[in-house]
Amino acid sequence: MIHFDKVSFGYTRGRDVLRDFSMSIPPQGRACLFGKSGCGKSTVLRLAMGLEKPRSGRITGTEGLAISAVFQEDRLLPWKTVLENAALFAQRDRAEDILTQLGLAEVLHSLPAELSGGMKRRAALGRALSHPSDLLILDEPFTGLDEETRERVIALVDREAQGRMVLLATHDLEEAQALGAEIVQL
């Protein structure tokens, strides 16, 4: 179980993004951080990954967890192909299977610069889903996808996230509901 206990954090002194924030995610649980832009959703994700440290309070339960993430930016390595990006932390066969299910079979050997925005987003999702992680962190993961693709990708994420903890940040309640996530209002 991951537990945030009265966590406070700010990027500048005197201005907290989070103040006394608490929440828990049970093993194999799913939580969706929901709120307006700038309320701290991405900050909570960064804290969960250990990329930031709280000013006060405690975060427990992340020690030793394998974490995979989709950031707001796709963060694909420009000198590696789509398949090479997805196979960075996963078996190549698994990465190829996930990318194919994401509709990227025809661009497996393309570089990120050759892809549309939606393809880059799916490649980033493919990398995160291919990694056998305990915790899947998703920051606005379906941005830039058309409605049909979005529905197909959400269904795949739902299947592939079985047995993992999921922490999602989104502005779209339908995405959270489709993934069966508990809403945490920020």
Side-chain angles (χ1 to χ4, degrees):
M1 175 179 293
I2 297 174
H3 185 68
F4 283 68
D5 183 29
K6 296 183 179 178
V7 170
S8 293
F9 178 85
Y11 290 100
T12 58
R13 288 197 165 269
R15 185 161 181 255
D16 286 339
V17 176
L18 296 172
R19 183 174 291 137
D20 293 329
F21 175 75
S22 296
M23 80 165 188
S24 294
I25 306 172
Q28 300 180 22
R30 297 177 181 195
C32 173
L33 304 169
F34 190 76
K36 62 183 180 178
S37 294
C39 70
K41 296 182 301 293
S42 295
T43 299
V44 171
L45 300 181
R46 292 181 60 78
L47 287 162
M49 288 184 277
L51 299 175
E52 302 290 351
K53 300 294 180 204
R55 183 176 302 143
S56 64
R58 288 180 5 142
I59 302 168
T60 57
T62 58
E63 306 82 19
L65 290 181
I67 300 172
S68 58
V70 175
F71 294 88
Q72 284 185 0
E73 314 83 25
D74 299 318
R75 297 190 182 189
L76 298 170
L77 298 175
W79 58 87
K80 294 208 173 273
T81 67
V82 170
L83 181 56
E84 290 168 338
N85 266 283
L88 281 171
F89 305 104
Q91 295 289 327
R92 190 176 177 93
D93 291 345
R94 171 140 173 85
E96 186 171 350
D97 178 54
I98 294 292
L99 292 169
T100 298
Q101 290 182 65
L102 287 166
L104 297 172
E106 294 181 14
V107 295
L108 292 176
H109 304 291
S110 298
L111 294 173
E114 302 171 67
L115 305 178
S116 70
M119 289 174 154
K120 289 177 187 175
R121 197 69 186 147
R122 286 181 282 153
L125 276 159
R127 180 179 53 206
L129 293 174
S130 297
H131 176 56
S133 61
D134 304 307
L135 172 61
L136 180 60
I137 292 185
L138 304 168
D139 197 352
E140 301 287 346
F142 311 114
T143 300
L145 302 180
D146 63 75
E147 188 64 30
E148 182 182 327
T149 301
R150 184 175 153 272
E151 288 176 14
R152 189 174 71 250
V153 169
I154 289 172
L156 177 64
V157 169
D158 186 41
R159 281 192 310 274
E160 291 297 324
Q162 295 299 317
R164 305 187 205 195
M165 285 184 278
V166 177
L167 185 53
L168 165 73
T170 184
H171 294 285
D172 190 329
L173 278 177
E174 288 180 18
E175 294 173 0
Q177 292 166 343
L179 292 173
E182 177 185 336
I183 306 299
V184 177
Q185 182 72 43
L186 291 178

